Amino acid sequence: MYIGLISDTHGVFDDRFKEFLEPVDQIWHAGDFGGGMDLAAKIAEFKPLVGVAGNCDNHSLRFEHPLHRFFECEGMKVLMTHVGGYPGRYDPRARKLIDHYRPDIFVCGHSHILKVVRDPGRNDMLVINPGAAGIQGFHNVRTALRFRIENGNITDMEFVTNIARRYKLPVITDGSQTAGAADINLETLGVQVYCFSGHRKLMGPYGIGGLIIKDGVQLDEKLLSGIGPVSPE
């Protein structure tokens, strides 16, 4: 399934984001719709919608979009709530939900900061915050994500790499769930470094992994097994 993920629209859902989300099968909204049920209905008319209410959403919207959702998508357990946080800094309510449901993917919003990280303390749970798609807030760049979930794997995550290209920043992606299950092409992914563990789809022993580095990319240092920076020989 092809997923479009947005959050913190705060009453705005314009053509720029419609164009980006046109190919997806379903839109997930991580809260703070703004505009009440009218905006939620507008998005739902465009694509099938799965959403949660945010702290700025009114009570009428919460009848349709609860404060959290837990569901399964293509073999992956998904937990979504608006105020979430990040590994080591979870909101207390979000942490209780995570510990209760033990999802593969935790989706949140609220911070207006696009961030995709794994939580090694929770079985490498993927934490996804798409940032803010609206114009209200401190953010300088309006953001959204789209990605595919197929057979228990996330692939083809886009837009974070487009932003990086604009500012000429390198992109490192975590392919722990994908290496061994799908083809890896750095050009297609739009990344410069692809890192992966060996014990998941590759069925190797714990404690090993690898990096695929695009030709011409220079890394000042490498971090191996958590022991600190080591210069390549």
Side-chain angles (χ1 to χ4, degrees):
M1 181 176 286
Y2 202 7
I3 304 297
L5 177 58
I6 57 177
S7 186
D8 295 271
T9 44
H10 292 284
V12 178
F13 185 66
D14 54 24
D15 290 342
R16 173 187 174 189
F17 284 85
K18 286 183 178 179
E19 181 180 355
F20 177 70
L21 297 169
E22 176 61 39
V24 306
D25 301 314
Q26 191 175 73
I27 292 176
W28 297 354
H29 195 302
D32 274 5
F33 283 82
M37 285 301 300
D38 289 343
L39 184 77
K42 180 180 179 181
I43 298 172
E45 288 174 3
F46 176 66
K47 294 286 179 179
L49 174 65
V50 177
V52 294
N55 57 294
C56 293
D57 291 320
N58 59 33
H59 289 284
S60 62
L61 188 139
R62 294 182 185 184
F63 285 108
E64 185 75 22
H65 301 284
L67 292 177
H68 77 269
R69 288 185 186 272
F70 178 70
F71 56 95
E72 186 169 314
C73 179
E74 296 290 331
M76 302 197 82
K77 296 180 293 183
V78 181
L79 172 64
M80 180 162 53
T81 193
H82 181 60
V83 182
Y86 306 105
R89 299 184 63 184
Y90 291 117
D91 172 79
R93 175 180 167 275
R95 184 170 57 248
K96 289 180 181 179
L97 290 171
I98 292 168
D99 291 341
H100 176 73
Y101 288 109
R102 297 180 177 275
D104 301 304
I105 304 171
F106 176 57
V107 176
C108 59
H110 188 61
S111 71
H112 291 213
I113 299 172
L114 189 154
K115 197 166 188 177
V116 182
V117 296
R118 289 197 178 274
D119 187 344
R122 287 177 167 81
N123 198 33
D124 277 350
M125 176 183 71
L126 187 63
V127 181
I128 308 178
N129 186 325
I135 59 177
Q136 178 180 327
F138 67 89
H139 56 283
N140 294 317
V141 180
R142 299 168 62 198
T143 56
L145 290 170
R146 64 188 184 193
F147 50 86
R148 298 183 189 278
I149 302 180
E150 298 174 345
N151 301 318
N153 293 286
I154 291 185
T155 60
D156 300 335
M157 186 169 285
E158 295 180 273
F159 200 53
V160 62
T161 56
N162 294 343
I163 294 172
R165 286 194 200 101
R166 184 184 309 165
Y167 293 100
K168 298 181 179 180
L169 300 174
V171 177
I172 300 174
T173 190
D174 177 0
S176 295
Q177 300 285 353
T178 307
D183 293 337
I184 300 170
N185 186 310
L186 300 191
E187 290 291 343
T188 301
L189 292 172
V191 304
Q192 285 71 51
V193 181
Y194 185 99
C195 58
F196 58 93
S197 61
H199 70 275
R200 291 187 174 274
K201 302 299 182 181
L202 294 174
M203 305 298 288
Y206 280 90
I208 67 169
L211 290 174
I212 301 175
I213 304 173
K214 189 175 180 180
D215 288 343
V217 173
Q218 298 294 322
L219 298 182
D220 293 333
E221 56 185 36
K222 294 180 181 179
L223 188 66
L224 303 177
S225 304
I227 60 174
V230 178
S231 297
E233 297 179 352

